[in-house]
Amino acid sequence: MPVLVYSVLRLALFAVTTAVLWWAGMRSWLAPLLAAFLAWGLSYVLLAGPRDAAALHLAQRAEQRRAGRATGRAADDAAAEDAVVEAADADPGTDGTGTAARRDPA
């Protein structure tokens, strides 16, 4: 949600800046171009709080995604290891990989 709020505020700042330039008499294609640069600078100064909140939100989501992916890999590894152990227990003549286990002649 903070990302949406920040995006809407930036778009509103651009619209207001464009309207002010249009009202001031700049009625050409340069008005939106100049408004984009002015809105960019103003958003850097005026929207620091919402920008930080959006960045924190995105960082937390990325961390959660990384943690979920790591947990998924660990579960996959554990399942693969369990399958190998169960296969070895089921057939004592193999080592769990499908090949015959070496037996020492001693």
Side-chain angles (χ1 to χ4, degrees), residues 23-68:
W23 177 78
M26 183 178 250
R27 300 189 195 282
S28 72
W29 61 272
L30 287 175
L33 185 65
L34 182 60
F37 284 109
L38 289 173
W40 171 70
L42 289 171
S43 70
Y44 185 74
V45 175
L46 299 176
L47 301 178
R51 182 181 60 244
D52 292 342
L56 181 63
H57 175 74
L58 291 174
Q60 288 172 346
R61 284 193 55 193
E63 183 61 34
Q64 289 172 352
R65 189 172 294 137
R66 265 187 250 120

Side-chain angles (χ1 to χ4, degrees), residues 5 49 74 90:
V5 169

